[in-house]
Amino acid sequence: MKITSARVIVTSPGRNFVTLKVETDEGVSGIGDATLNGRELAVASYLTDHVIPSLIGRDPRMSEDIWHYLYRGAYWRRGPVTMSAIAAVDTALWDIKAKLADLPLYQLLGGKSRDRVLIYGHANGADLEATVDAVGKYIDMGYKAIRAQSGVPGIEKAYGIGRGDMYYEPADARLPTETVWDTPAYLNFVPKLFEKLRDTYGFEPQLLHDVHHRLTPNEAAQLGKSLEPYRLFWMEDCTPAENQEAFRHVRRHTTTPLAVGEVFNTIWDCKQLIEEQLIDYIRATVVHAGGITHLRRIADLAALYQVRTGSHGATDLSPVCMGAALHFDTWVPNFGIQEYMRHTDETDAVFPHDYRFEDGHLIVGETPGHGVTIDEALAAKYPYDPASLPIARLRDGTLWHW
Ligand code: EZ4
Ligand code: CO
């Protein structure tokens, strides 16, 4: 069996997605997500110019060897562009393998470890009251776990505040939007938000919060401590993770659970945080961390230390990634939670899929493969629309972490 062709499909049904389609001489094809928000064409070029020519003629069933060929064989290892491209190939090959076996993908990984996948949704509002209302709407929709992000008095554009309630998309302009960041205002406000949320809704809903890398380790320790009475499911990305030792300080000072890793690409990015048990949840995901083949290695390492998975699942990860992730989540023994931001109707129409939302969970279908396809004719109607993620500056102009 041989790979006969592969091509990259770039489409923008409301936001940009990059998809790799791999075809074989036996008529079976597979697709993988290669979307890297704000850097889509870099991955598309990496695939088209460097990866696809080396795939033609290979046996698609040799997904392990192909993974190592693309990782080790490139000499230049790691990085988001390379690893997203490898992930797209890997996801497409697992899709093909599962279709050949006539089984839903989770069966190839080891079968079901659970019937349904706990997900969390994003509630956000311009101020405290609006955010409390938004959380209530998610509770009414059946969500068991909800991330709350709110506008902060004194900060004009806080991370996570969308234009509408449901479809938050941070990449909002051709060149990065400039936002202003104010740590003291934020640290004063966030505990008030969660106090109000617990007063209003009690302790049954799981509540999460994303700090989005904005704090120093000591500020993160302070915030974690001040949120302890509200028993968060997790505090996410409380400080940048390039220096993983920084998390020792946070860990020593708070029992608020910590989640990190949406920007991680390989097991090497996760290694110290996991081995030193500095986090509770690892957020690496299929598309940005080398596909199912590599994410499985990360999850197995995490399992040794009782670290659970909590994969990134914002709207810039396409339904193809979400489908593959849900098969992974259905199998992975040390599953924690899956992030799920609903895609728009336009996006869902371009990527027909068989996973479904029910009672705060997602359930994978039984279609052979990962269960997500692409309507190429419809995709062609939405040309690429360049957009960048914002940046943040402190009040004095210093460039900060967005
Ligand atoms: O900012 O995916 O937890 N979710 C997030 C996301 C990220 C975007 C970046 O492209 O932090 O909203
Ligand atoms: Co995040």
Side-chain angles (χ1 to χ4, degrees):
M1 187 175 183
K2 284 186 169 57
I3 295 172
T4 48
S5 69
R7 63 181 181 283
V8 175
I9 303 152
V10 180
T11 181
S12 190
R15 56 153 302 101
N16 295 309
F17 296 109
V18 179
T19 309
L20 176 72
K21 183 161 191 175
V22 176
E23 288 174 322
T24 69
D25 58 355
E26 293 191 12
V28 180
S29 65
I31 60 172
D33 182 20
T35 308
L36 184 60
N37 204 1
R39 293 291 182 269
E40 294 86 2
L41 299 187
V43 187
S45 161
Y46 193 86
L47 282 165
T48 303
D49 300 329
H50 306 292
V51 172
I52 289 174
S54 73
L55 291 179
I56 309 304
R58 286 180 194 281
D59 184 335
R61 296 168 298 187
M62 293 170 65
S63 52
E64 190 71 52
D65 181 69
I66 290 173
W67 194 94
H68 287 277
Y69 182 86
L70 296 174
Y71 181 86
R72 284 188 196 152
Y75 186 64
W76 310 106
R77 296 182 186 189
R78 306 166 64 185
V81 174
T82 303
M83 297 310 290
S84 299
I86 294 177
V89 174
D90 189 72
T91 305
L93 297 187
W94 278 96
D95 192 24
I96 289 171
K97 280 149 68 93
K99 286 176 183 168
L100 288 172
D102 200 25
L103 291 170
L105 177 45
Y106 70 80
Q107 292 290 12
L108 271 58
L109 299 172
K112 281 192 182 184
S113 300
R114 56 196 57 77
D115 298 325
R116 53 190 197 159
V117 170
L118 176 67
I119 52 103
Y120 71 92
H122 285 205
N124 60 71
D127 56 24
L128 191 145
E129 295 304 322
T131 307
V132 172
D133 288 351
V135 168
K137 281 189 197 131
Y138 275 80
I139 292 171
D140 291 346
M141 284 188 280
Y143 282 77
K144 310 294 177 212
I146 301 151
R147 186 186 92 160
Q149 305 293 135
S150 175
V152 176
I155 301 179
E156 203 196 323
K157 283 184 176 150
Y159 164 77
I161 312 310
R163 282 159 287 189
D165 269 356
M166 295 296 288
Y167 305 115
Y168 170 65
E169 172 45 55
D172 58 0
R174 176 73 184 85
L175 291 175
T177 301
E178 301 230 351
T179 63
V180 172
W181 182 248
D182 183 334
T183 296
Y186 173 77
L187 288 177
N188 283 335
F189 175 78
V190 179
K192 290 183 194 137
L193 171 66
F194 283 91
E195 182 182 24
K196 182 76 183 168
L197 286 170
R198 286 306 186 202
D199 282 352
T200 311
Y201 302 116
F203 280 79
E204 200 180 312
Q206 299 285 1
L207 296 177
L208 302 83
H209 183 68
D210 192 347
V211 181
H212 224 256
H213 326 273
R214 301 293 166 85
L215 301 177
T216 65
N218 197 45
E219 290 159 355
Q222 286 174 37
L223 180 63
K225 230 175 170 171
S226 61
L227 292 175
E228 279 170 20
Y230 315 117
R231 271 184 270 143
L232 266 57
F233 187 92
W234 78 35
M235 174 169 81
E236 175 181 337
D237 287 335
C238 61
T239 193
E242 286 104 324
N243 173 19
Q244 305 205 345
E245 288 171 19
F247 281 80
R248 290 179 188 156
H249 181 75
V250 185
R251 197 62 160 169
R252 266 186 219 119
H253 290 281
T254 181
T255 55
T256 293
L258 304 176
V260 179
E262 68 181 44
V263 301
F264 289 178
N265 312 128
T266 72
I267 199 166
W268 301 101
D269 298 326
C270 311
K271 186 173 182 288
Q272 186 176 9
L273 288 178
I274 290 174
E275 287 180 347
E276 289 191 28
Q277 302 175 57
L278 300 176
I279 56 173
D280 300 275
Y281 297 93
I282 184 72
R283 284 184 42 74
T285 188
V286 173
V287 58
H288 299 136
I292 286 167
T293 296
H294 195 62
L295 193 59
R296 187 158 68 162
R297 306 241 138 84
I298 294 172
D300 283 342
L301 174 68
L304 298 180
Y305 302 95
Q306 298 194 50
V307 173
R308 294 190 286 165
T309 64
S311 290
H312 190 201
T315 43
D316 48 300
L317 287 68
S318 90
V320 182
C321 177
M322 187 55 63
L326 292 169
H327 282 269
F328 187 88
D329 296 337
T330 296
W331 157 72
V332 70
N334 49 322
F335 172 74
I337 200 166
Q338 169 70 52
E339 183 181 24
Y340 173 56
M341 279 170 86
R342 285 166 193 254
H343 289 105
T344 60
D345 292 341
E346 290 100 311
T347 296
D348 283 340
V350 170
F351 298 100
H353 54 263
D354 71 351
Y355 55 81
R356 64 180 202 278
F357 177 86
E358 206 180 284
D359 192 30
H361 295 73
L362 283 172
I363 301 171
V364 282
E366 293 295 311
T367 309
H370 56 47
V372 188
T373 56
I374 181 165
D375 180 338
E376 291 189 62
L378 191 56
K381 293 189 179 151
Y382 298 105
Y384 183 60
D385 180 16
S388 303
L389 289 168
I391 60 156
R393 291 184 189 275
L394 301 182
R395 293 214 178 273
D396 68 357
T398 306
L399 197 82
W400 199 240
H401 316 285
W402 178 76

